[in-house]
């Protein structure tokens, strides 16, 4: 019986260590700049997300979204326009996602692909 309890305790510790290691590797990947380019019949857009850890916290991140876009009207490109938005996000270590507080969007990080998903949009890390 003692051996069984000992083996169970080792298994629980091992699983915890794997979870924490995975969480840390994703959290280490989060900070940086991510870019996405999109094109439709109506516009061309370049989108950049810059993500930095908040000060004095382990789970809050500051997100700056910079978007440059050109509308297409009657087949002609209009002048370049810019938008800058500032958000904050909270890291959920259970779900392994960063939730943007202002929009409710979820950012899913994919270190193996060097990218993140924002809905169906994939951003590549620079």
């Amino acid at each position: 019986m003692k051996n069984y309890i000992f083996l169970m305790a080792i298994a629980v510790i091992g699983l915890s260590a794997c979870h924490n290691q995975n969480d840390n590797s994703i959290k280490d990947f989060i900070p940086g700049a991510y870019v996405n380019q999109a094109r439709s019949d109506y516009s061309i857009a370049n989108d950049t997300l810059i993500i930095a850890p908040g000060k004095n916290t382990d789970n809050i991140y500051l997100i700056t979204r910079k978007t440059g876009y050109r509308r297409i009207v009657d087949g002609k490109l209009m002048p370049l326009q810019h938008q800058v938005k500032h958000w904050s996000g909270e890291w959920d270590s259970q779900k392994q996602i960063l939730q943007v507080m202002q929009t409710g969007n979820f950012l899913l990080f994919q270190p193996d692909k060097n990218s993140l998903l924002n809905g169906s949009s994939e951003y590549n890390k620079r």
Side-chain angles (χ1 to χ4, degrees):
M1 184 70 172
K2 287 182 183 179
N3 286 340
Y4 177 74
I5 292 172
F6 178 73
L7 289 174
M8 290 298 290
I10 295 295
V12 168
I13 291 170
L15 289 173
S16 302
C18 288
H19 176 71
N20 288 340
Q21 191 173 25
N22 186 38
D23 183 46
N24 287 338
S25 67
I26 293 176
K27 283 181 74 171
D28 291 343
F29 177 76
I30 292 173
Y34 300 83
V35 295
N36 173 277
Q37 295 180 337
R39 182 182 184 105
S40 72
D41 291 339
Y42 305 103
S43 67
I44 298 171
N46 293 307
D47 209 11
T48 302
L49 297 176
I50 301 168
I51 304 175
K55 293 183 179 182
N56 303 323
T57 181
D58 284 340
N59 65 335
I60 302 297
Y61 290 83
L62 306 175
I63 305 163
T64 301
R65 181 179 185 184
K66 296 180 179 183
T67 306
Y69 62 94
R70 296 179 75 176
R71 296 182 196 272
I72 300 172
V73 179
D74 296 327
K76 295 181 183 177
L77 281 174
M78 298 291 108
L80 181 64
Q81 297 182 341
H82 294 277
Q83 279 186 346
V84 177
K85 295 181 180 179
H86 298 281
W87 298 326
S88 53
E90 183 174 8
W91 176 249
D92 185 327
S93 60
Q94 295 290 80
K95 296 178 183 175
Q96 300 286 290
I97 56 172
L98 185 66
Q99 182 174 7
V100 180
M101 295 178 193
Q102 290 79 0
T103 65
N105 287 4
F106 297 100
L107 303 181
L108 176 64
F109 295 88
Q110 302 177 311
D112 55 324
K113 293 184 176 182
N114 203 41
S115 68
L116 73 77
L117 291 176
N118 179 10
S120 62
S121 299
E122 185 172 14
Y123 289 72
N124 294 308
K125 190 169 188 178
R126 276 200 245 163

